Amino acid sequence: MEFDTIAAISTPMGEGAIAIVRLSGDEAIQIADKLFKGIAGKRLIDVASHTIHYGHLLDPKSGEVVEEVMVSVMKGPKTFTKEDVVEINCHGGIVSVNRVLQQVLKYGARLAEPGEFTKRAFLNGRIDLSQAEAVMDLIRAKTDRAMNVALGQMEGRLSKLIRKLRQEILEVLAHVEVNIDYPEYDDVEEMTHKMLIEKAHFVREEIQKLLQTSQQGKILREGLSTVIVGRPNVGKSSLLNSLVHENKAIVTDIPGTTRDVIEEYVNVRGVPLRLLDTAGIRETEDIVERIGVERSRQVLKEADLILLVLNYADALTVEDENLFEVVRGMDVIVIVNKTDLPQQIDMERVKELTKEHKLVTTSLLEDRGVDELEEAIASLFFAGSIETGDMTYVSNNRHIAVLNQSLHSIEEAIEGVEMGTPIDIVQIDLTRTWELLGEIIGDSVHESLIDQLFSQFCLGK
Amino acid sequence: MQYEAGSYDVIVVGAGHAGCEAGLAAARLGANTLMITINLDMVAFMPCNPSVGGPAKGIVVREIDALGGEMAKNIDKTYIQMRMLNTGKGPAVRALRAQADKFAYQNEMKKTLEEEPNLTLLQGMVEQLIVEDDIVKGVITKTGATYRSKTVVITTGTYLRGEIILGELKYSSGPNNQQPSIKLSEHLEELGFELVRFKTGTPPRVNSNTIDYSKTEIQPGDEVPRAFSYETTKYITDQLPCWLTYTNEQTHQIIDANLHRSPMFSGMIKGTGPRYCPSIEDKVVRFNDKPRHQIFLEPEGRNTKEVYVQGLSTSLPEDVQQQIIKSVPGLENAQMMRAGYAIEYDAIVPTQLWPTLETKVVKNLYTAGQINGTSGYEEAAGQGLMAGINAGLNALDREQLVLSRSDAYIGVLIDDLITKGTNEPYRLLTSRAEYRLLLRHDNADLRLTEMGHQIGLILDNRYQAFVVKKEAIEAEKQRLQSIILKPNEEVQALIRSIGGSELKDGIRASDLLKRPEMNYALLEKLTKSEHDLDEETKEQVEIQMKYEGYIEKSLQQVERLKKMENKKIPENIDYDAINGLATEAKQKLKKIKPLSLAQASRISGVNPADISILLVYLEQGRIAKVANE
């Protein structure tokens, strides 16, 4: 909706020592204040405009500290958007800034659409008229791109799951509605608090599952787990180095994993990759040889993406063929490397083995084919065709934000039932949950409730 | 031969439930009003079920009353039974329903019309509108009488090119074998209106003397006196019951065996019927696993033996209807006095209307009721009231009135019609309202009396009483918020007696009231107002305080949307000139011509990106204008 409070990360992802989450709108200061714990109980709603404050960002529910932050409070109209603006400065890096963003989204802000801060600035007369067209182009262009990604996902498991969940809620809603609009209709029993709470718990669990396993969350936390496999000397290290050097590497130690496993993070065209067990690859070159086919199956099973490397200058071996066997059914990009050398490999056979997977030829030595490889990774990801080990895949921050909101409203529904609130009032929160879930798949038409009502029950005069 | 027959401020065509409200509203606003109907004996006729109200619809009747309309008062004078529905549920969905004495209802309404000083009631068939430069100037009847006016309201119900279908039989007719209106329909098409064909139906009536009521279940009215109108003080205590029985296997076999004779399935009926009002043959086919369907036997009045067989709406042939009736317990020997039938009629596509119910095609012309694609007396009356108010205000050069979706169910109804259109006869359901908790039966006066008074339909004495009630509610709420109840024995004993958990500390009376097991009557035992509060005031205090959190949440939503409601879109905007709007959005926007950004956002096919672009464009225009000045 227009005119509400928006938020976004306003610094480039994964770069710099400090990242900024920016909020703009009537409720910007209140939202930040809810999450902020300053020194000696300082409240952001009380501070002077254009001042900066040190403190911690909390999760108000658990009281847990999310981040150490510096918060700038700027009251309109002397701001970029002419609205109240809050900038939360936190530690750089995908993980921390994203946690901050998710908190503000959970507590009332909406994720800004592309160009929306600029749009607000324009609408409030802050920027020049000549920029209006540019803003419109931006809105159209970015949403079209977002739409394409969304369309890709429509086919995906996420939309299927959400549809199923919505249908479950819809049946409950229709049941409650029929009790209200046709009180004398005796064919359906009255919806009870007990029936409702069972459903509500189920819905909450499903949303929680989606959130926990949401690919975006997982990727932002861990990256898309990627394994490079291949016989010795096909160029696995070169591939790794090439990916790492071409792109900005983010070297982090992940909490909960052992120190000795250092993992490489690379950001390939916006897709964060976690190159798994890279130390292993570096040391022994050959993961298959080192741990045997059975063990490697195990390791590979945890991967979201496999980069299978073959040697252009060498004939295919039984080992190569075995590798194809091992990665069957997984998301694979096949890379035939060393095209700078004379061909020995049987490309026809390679194509046969590759089947529907992507096939890229490279010469890492001469830096050829790397672009195609990156394109292949990005397109696999954005088309939503990567099947992760998790049950489903939620691809962007907007979806996570909406899922969090729907979780919030289903929790309110549950709270309502527990308080003994009449069902038709609890239904307000249930309906909200249903509508929010619909936003994810772009389907919030109210009419479908009425359709459900008349297809599920036999009503009439 | 045409002749000049008179000049008025407002002309209302039709005297059904929409027409009556329209005529009375315009006249009461001070507009000199003429009402023309095909048959004066059919004023406020109920061609279908003899009842008024029910979920959502009953709230509309309350809203009509709060705005100064007539339906509530008329039914309060003529009901044979009154019931409050959904009493076991939350306050938002409670609704009154009355069984009407349909003949008394008509007579009473006709008397009211006749006694209205500014209103002239006339029998005649309007066949043509006088339209000059796309502005309506009056009407011409079949006899050539030409009546001039500033505004016209058309409320023709199911009369437009009406056709009755009964088994293999199909003939041109209005409801209940009245004369249909054929030329007016053709004329509307010539004027450029897009029409659709809808269908509805009605069940047979049987003679009460031939019903064996011992085989049915009694359905009595409420013992507590109830009324629709806030002004009603006299209650009818002598109520008549309704009766419940069921169809059975045999009924369904008869229907199955005769489906080939059903016009529904033979393709004879082409109009779109409402899903919420299916015929019995439709129910049996679509839900063939159901062993039985409910049948309510409803008396049509006090001075008639005709009984309406609710649940048996059908267009099967007469002889099959007779067989069906005889298969139902209690109706074995029932004599069918009138057969059920289906009726097809023309309606205009309602997206051709502005929110005032004025048409976009012809200026100063308004439409209301079934002609706009709705179904139901209450939906018709609600629109009739608004069309009458606006036709009257317009004729008097005053600013028109539009109700928003958060003001009233009537606002929801009209906004749905004009923004989304409808592909079946539209019925109000509580689920159509996103602010159900704000649009309650009990607070219709609090929502609308102010507006009714402002336009002049609510008179000063009633308004004063309303202000007193409103102040009493506020005072009592404040009192409860300021009083702290100590955990003394009296308080604890009361809480124990209703199974609540005892207090540890003092508690605000208002917070104690919020507990689910608590209500105002109990609270009154602990702390009583020094004023003598009436039941309605107590009810308001209880509902407003108990559900405060939820009401607050709904109000916040309304508030957020208001900013978008306030972004007005000029009528003459050129959507083709806006770069970046999606093609589908452009087409829809050009057709619906929304007046605010919020309305635009409710059009299906217009997505948030289009709204963003529209907003930028609107703002750009504004800035450009300022720059020019």
Side-chain angles (χ1 to χ4, degrees):
Chain A
M1 189 162 45
E2 306 288 343
F3 310 114
D4 46 1
T5 297
I6 52 174
I9 298 169
S10 59
T11 40
M13 283 291 260
E15 288 169 33
I18 288 172
I20 298 173
V21 172
R22 181 192 277 160
L23 290 94
S24 177
D26 292 349
E27 290 170 46
I29 299 172
Q30 285 94 308
I31 292 169
D33 182 64
K34 268 189 256 175
L35 304 169
F36 181 76
K37 186 170 189 289
I39 300 160
K42 192 196 299 178
R43 303 279 306 267
L44 294 178
I45 42 172
D46 301 327
V47 303
S49 183
H50 293 76
T51 53
I52 187 158
H53 308 275
Y54 169 80
H56 288 94
L57 199 84
L58 304 181
D59 179 341
K61 238 183 193 160
S62 63
E64 189 188 318
V65 173
V66 174
E67 261 290 302
E68 191 180 11
V69 292
M70 295 283 284
V71 181
S72 317
V73 174
M74 289 157 281
K75 291 178 187 160
K78 282 187 180 169
T79 65
F80 172 56
T81 57
K82 283 204 164 184
E83 300 173 329
D84 288 353
V85 168
V86 171
E87 290 186 349
I88 303 173
N89 298 255
C90 59
H91 293 119
I94 299 173
V95 180
S96 51
V97 70
N98 197 57
R99 281 174 66 183
V100 171
L101 178 65
Q102 287 302 335
Q103 281 300 318
V104 301
L105 296 180
K106 210 162 159 181
Y107 285 87
R110 169 174 64 74
L111 189 72
E113 301 290 335
E116 202 168 5
F117 282 98
T118 317
K119 187 179 102 185
R120 294 249 167 141
F122 166 74
L123 289 178
N124 294 318
R126 183 74 169 74
I127 60 170
D128 189 52
L129 174 64
S130 63
Q131 284 169 279
E133 289 287 330
V135 174
M136 277 199 254
D137 287 347
L138 191 64
I139 294 165
R140 175 51 71 197
K142 296 257 174 124
T143 37
D144 280 351
R145 202 183 308 156
M147 196 103 97
N148 287 337
V149 174
L151 277 176
Q153 290 185 340
M154 293 295 275
E155 314 290 327
R157 301 164 82 175
L158 172 68
S159 64
K160 232 189 247 169
L161 271 167
I162 299 238
R163 261 177 234 288
K164 216 178 121 222
L165 194 54
R166 289 189 87 219
Q167 183 60 28
E168 295 257 2
I169 302 174
L170 193 61
E171 280 167 23
V172 178
L173 292 176
H175 190 151
V176 177
E177 293 301 334
V178 84
N179 289 160
I180 294 166
D181 278 325
Y182 294 86
E184 282 156 345
Y185 179 67
D186 66 351
D187 205 44
V188 52
E189 55 190 315
E190 194 82 9
M191 173 67 84
T192 61
H193 277 103
K194 192 168 164 285
M195 286 156 73
L196 191 63
I197 199 131
E198 278 170 19
K199 279 283 178 191
H201 277 296
F202 169 77
V203 170
R204 180 175 64 181
E205 272 165 37
E206 290 296 306
I207 295 174
Q208 276 169 340
K209 262 192 239 163
L210 274 174
L211 272 171
Q212 279 161 8
T213 61
S214 69
Q215 182 68 4
Q216 179 76 6
K218 182 177 172 261
I219 287 171
L220 288 169
R221 273 195 323 272
E222 304 170 9
L224 192 67
S225 58
T226 307
V227 175
I228 302 174
V229 293
R231 285 189 293 123
N233 266 325
V234 294
K236 296 193 294 290
S237 299
S238 313
L239 175 59
L240 176 68
N241 287 331
S242 164
L243 285 173
V244 168
H245 292 140
E246 285 276 316
N247 302 285
K248 199 158 195 84
I250 314 147
V251 183
T252 335
D253 47 344
I254 301 297
T257 58
T258 45
R259 275 267 167 175
D260 53 3
V261 183
I262 308 266
E263 287 158 326
E264 300 281 0
Y265 276 77
V266 294
N267 188 335
V268 176
R269 303 195 178 187
V271 184
L273 297 188
R274 177 171 57 129
L275 296 165
L276 273 184
D277 203 10
T278 49
I281 292 174
R282 279 184 171 158
E283 278 163 21
T284 70
E285 281 288 292
D286 191 344
I287 183 174
V288 178
E289 185 182 74
R290 184 165 60 98
I291 55 182
V293 177
E294 277 316 304
R295 268 292 311 277
S296 63
R297 245 190 243 275
Q298 203 53 41
V299 171
L300 292 174
K301 213 187 251 175
E302 283 158 29
D304 298 320
L305 175 64
I306 312 284
L307 303 177
L308 195 163
V309 190
L310 301 169
N311 190 344
Y312 184 76
D314 210 348
L316 276 172
T317 66
V318 182
E319 278 172 76
D320 287 327
E321 302 244 358
N322 273 345
L323 277 175
F324 276 103
E325 190 59 32
V326 168
V327 301
R328 193 153 61 170
M330 309 181 70
D331 284 299
V332 182
I333 296 175
V334 178
I335 300 149
V336 181
N337 188 31
K338 302 197 183 182
T339 52
D340 46 295
L341 297 174
Q343 177 176 0
Q344 292 295 325
I345 201 164
D346 175 1
M347 281 307 277
E348 284 310 309
R349 177 64 185 150
V350 171
K351 277 178 192 156
E352 220 171 274
L353 288 165
T354 303
K355 288 179 193 147
E356 74 282 4
H357 297 308
K358 287 237 162 144
L359 177 64
V360 181
T361 55
T362 60
S363 165
L364 294 168
L365 187 74
E366 293 179 359
D367 210 16
R368 271 191 285 123
V370 179
D371 268 356
E372 286 85 343
L373 173 61
E374 292 190 352
E375 189 55 48
I377 294 171
S379 70
L380 249 184
F381 179 79
F382 285 115
S385 60
I386 288 191
E387 297 250 352
T388 66
D390 294 317
M391 56 180 286
T392 191
Y393 140 49
V394 182
S395 85
N396 66 30
N397 256 327
R398 186 180 74 84
H399 292 171
I400 296 181
V402 177
L403 276 175
N404 269 319
Q405 286 170 11
S406 34
L407 183 65
H408 184 67
S409 52
I410 193 72
E411 275 167 355
E412 291 204 312
I414 291 171
E415 206 175 299
V417 177
E418 282 165 356
M419 292 276 297
T421 311
I423 285 176
D424 51 278
I425 292 178
V426 174
Q427 173 144 22
I428 296 173
D429 289 316
L430 203 58
T431 307
R432 184 81 194 121
T433 312
W434 179 75
E435 283 171 352
L436 283 165
L437 289 174
E439 279 179 25
I440 295 177
I441 53 173
D443 175 23
S444 231
V445 189
H446 220 68
E447 195 66 19
S448 54
L449 171 58
I450 289 154
D451 290 340
Q452 181 68 28
L453 198 63
F454 294 113
S455 62
Q456 194 173 337
F457 303 106
C458 176
L459 308 163
K461 61 179 173 187
Chain B
M1 203 8 227
Q2 282 187 16
Y3 71 100
E4 288 293 327
S7 179
Y8 295 85
D9 291 324
V10 178
I11 294 174
V12 176
V13 181
H17 303 285
C20 288
E21 294 295 345
L24 286 169
R28 287 168 179 171
L29 286 173
N32 188 13
T33 304
L34 172 70
M35 266 179 91
I36 311 180
T37 174
I38 294 175
N39 183 349
L40 274 176
D41 298 332
M42 300 299 282
V43 168
F45 179 63
M46 297 183 175
C48 202
N49 52 325
S51 78
V52 168
K57 290 158 164 278
I59 302 178
V60 168
V61 181
R62 297 278 278 180
E63 291 171 352
I64 290 170
D65 185 64
L67 285 168
E70 196 61 28
M71 184 175 239
K73 288 178 193 152
N74 206 60
I75 184 67
D76 281 351
K77 288 185 247 176
T78 58
Y79 64 89
I80 59 173
Q81 182 193 107
M82 190 79 94
R83 283 180 69 190
M84 181 67 91
L85 306 172
N86 289 335
T87 47
K89 304 192 180 83
V93 298
R94 277 172 215 155
L96 261 190
R97 190 181 60 208
Q99 293 300 133
D101 180 326
K102 67 198 292 183
F103 304 100
Y105 188 91
Q106 279 192 271
N107 290 338
E108 193 60 44
M109 186 63 92
K110 186 155 176 255
K111 191 171 84 185
T112 304
L113 296 176
E114 288 163 349
E115 284 176 358
E116 189 62 40
N118 273 330
L119 190 65
T120 307
L121 194 57
L122 178 82
Q123 181 164 301
M125 180 168 324
V126 170
E127 292 196 329
Q128 225 184 317
L129 302 173
I130 306 167
V131 178
E132 292 164 13
D133 299 329
D134 295 334
I135 303 172
V136 74
K137 303 280 184 185
V139 304
I140 304 170
T141 68
K142 194 176 182 175
T143 54
T146 303
Y147 297 93
R148 313 251 164 204
S149 68
K150 292 175 187 157
T151 59
V152 173
V153 184
I154 305 184
T155 67
T156 48
T158 59
Y159 282 74
L160 285 185
R161 265 196 297 231
E163 282 183 302
I164 281 184
I165 301 129
L166 174 52
E168 294 91 351
L169 199 61
K170 182 170 186 171
Y171 55 94
S172 178
S173 172
N176 202 30
N177 292 329
Q178 291 296 303
Q179 278 187 74
S181 174
I182 292 167
K183 291 233 169 110
L184 184 58
S185 200
E186 287 164 0
H187 181 63
L188 287 174
E189 256 175 348
E190 281 164 22
L191 286 171
F193 282 96
E194 190 188 338
L195 304 182
V196 282
R197 197 95 178 127
F198 279 167
K199 174 227 139 190
T200 185
T202 194
R205 308 332 190 234
V206 296
N207 188 323
S208 179
N209 288 343
T210 60
I211 298 174
D212 180 357
Y213 288 110
S214 69
K215 292 183 179 165
T216 65
E217 293 164 37
I218 190 163
Q219 306 265 301
D222 286 355
E223 281 176 24
V224 190
R226 303 192 190 275
F228 276 103
S229 174
Y230 286 94
E231 283 182 47
T232 297
T233 48
K234 277 204 304 205
Y235 303 94
I236 298 169
T237 49
D238 173 24
Q239 299 191 62
L240 300 181
C242 295
W243 308 85
L244 172 63
T245 179
Y246 297 92
T247 62
N248 51 38
E249 274 310 312
Q250 197 197 338
T251 321
H252 302 174
Q253 275 163 19
I254 296 166
I255 290 166
D256 269 337
N258 288 285
L259 270 186
H260 61 284
R261 297 180 65 197
S262 159
M264 293 277 297
F265 297 95
S266 69
M268 193 147 117
I269 292 181
K270 293 188 180 66
T272 313
R275 282 170 299 175
Y276 44 80
C277 189
S279 58
I280 184 69
E281 52 269 35
D282 212 12
K283 287 192 255 186
V284 168
V285 170
R286 282 181 50 215
F287 295 88
N288 60 5
D289 53 333
K290 270 198 76 173
R292 62 179 201 174
H293 296 274
Q294 288 168 313
I295 303 287
F296 291 94
L297 302 172
E298 304 175 356
E300 295 224 307
R302 291 180 194 276
N303 293 316
T304 176
K305 290 293 167 195
E306 277 193 80
V307 172
Y308 179 90
V309 188
Q310 194 212 306
L312 274 192
S313 176
T314 181
S315 55
L316 283 163
E318 202 171 81
D319 56 310
V320 182
Q321 292 191 28
Q322 264 158 350
Q323 288 178 53
I324 291 172
I325 286 172
K326 293 197 189 307
S327 72
V328 176
L331 301 182
E332 293 88 346
N333 298 309
Q335 184 239 334
M336 184 170 82
M337 295 176 73
R338 297 178 205 231
Y341 61 84
I343 184 165
E344 283 191 329
Y345 56 95
D346 284 349
I348 69 161
V349 172
T351 51
Q352 298 170 98
L353 303 173
W354 297 113
T356 53
L357 293 179
E358 185 182 358
T359 73
K360 292 170 187 167
V361 182
V362 177
K363 222 169 137 39
N364 293 347
L365 177 67
Y366 297 75
T367 56
Q370 268 170 311
I371 187 175
N372 289 348
T374 59
S375 148
Y377 312 141
E378 304 81 359
E379 286 89 341
Q383 290 172 68
L385 177 67
M386 296 316 294
I389 287 173
N390 286 327
L393 291 172
N394 185 357
L396 300 170
D397 284 326
R398 290 176 57 194
E399 200 188 326
Q400 301 188 42
L401 178 69
V402 172
L403 301 178
S404 75
R405 299 182 71 91
S406 54
D407 287 330
Y409 270 97
I410 299 174
V412 173
L413 162 73
I414 294 175
D415 183 65
D416 275 353
L417 285 176
I418 63 158
T419 307
K420 297 176 187 150
T422 181
N423 47 23
E424 67 181 331
Y426 177 102
R427 176 194 160 145
L428 261 181
L429 297 161
T430 59
S431 52
R432 296 198 196 263
E434 53 277 66
Y435 311 116
R436 184 153 84 188
L437 191 55
L438 303 180
L439 307 183
R440 304 189 307 270
H441 167 91
D442 59 86
N443 71 351
D445 58 338
L446 294 170
R447 289 185 272 130
L448 301 168
T449 308
E450 194 72 56
M451 286 185 215
H453 182 247
Q454 216 160 26
I455 55 172
L457 288 183
I458 294 292
L459 303 181
D460 284 343
N461 54 350
R462 174 160 168 194
Y463 182 67
Q464 284 315 320
F466 163 75
V467 171
V468 168
K469 176 183 168 186
K470 204 171 146 185
E471 282 166 0
I473 294 166
E474 285 313 311
E476 179 61 359
K477 276 167 66 182
Q478 277 187 8
R479 187 184 74 87
L480 293 181
Q481 267 157 353
S482 65
I483 282 181
I484 309 262
L485 294 169
K486 301 250 160 54
N488 60 32
E489 190 41 41
E490 186 200 4
V491 172
Q492 303 288 40
L494 182 108
I495 291 173
R496 270 198 307 274
S497 73
I498 52 172
S501 52
E502 290 189 16
L503 300 181
K504 293 190 183 75
D505 284 308
I507 186 171
R508 264 179 231 283
S510 53
D511 287 334
L512 184 60
L513 184 56
K514 286 197 178 113
R515 290 190 171 190
E517 66 276 8
M518 203 60 196
N519 60 39
Y520 186 87
L522 288 167
L523 191 65
E524 228 181 350
K525 290 183 184 170
L526 301 174
T527 169
K528 203 167 160 34
S529 166
E530 59 188 34
H531 306 287
D532 195 17
L533 300 176
D534 62 29
E535 286 309 312
E536 278 191 7
T537 304
K538 292 178 188 174
E539 184 191 30
Q540 268 319 301
V541 171
E542 177 176 311
I543 292 170
Q544 289 187 19
M545 303 209 89
K546 251 183 132 53
Y547 302 106
E548 195 183 11
Y550 286 93
I551 291 172
E552 197 47 49
K553 209 158 37 171
S554 291
L555 284 173
Q556 278 171 8
Q557 273 180 28
V558 173
E559 206 44 53
R560 261 180 260 152
L561 207 67
K562 235 179 209 141
K563 288 188 180 168
M564 278 178 72
E565 298 282 0
N566 291 341
K567 285 276 173 197
K568 299 297 176 204
I569 302 175
E571 255 179 60
N572 56 4
I573 190 168
D574 179 8
Y575 288 107
D576 286 324
I578 306 177
N579 288 333
L581 278 183
T583 314
E584 188 191 356
K586 257 185 207 177
Q587 285 167 353
K588 292 277 178 67
L589 289 165
K590 276 156 81 176
K591 189 174 173 205
I592 311 282
K593 300 191 179 91
L595 294 176
S596 73
L597 207 60
Q599 193 194 348
S601 72
R602 288 191 290 268
I603 300 171
S604 69
V606 176
N607 64 41
D610 298 313
I611 294 298
S612 264
I613 286 165
L614 193 54
L615 179 61
V616 171
Y617 180 85
L618 289 173
E619 210 58 31
Q620 186 182 1
R622 191 180 66 80
I623 293 169
K625 227 183 249 169
V626 173
N628 286 341
E629 280 162 9

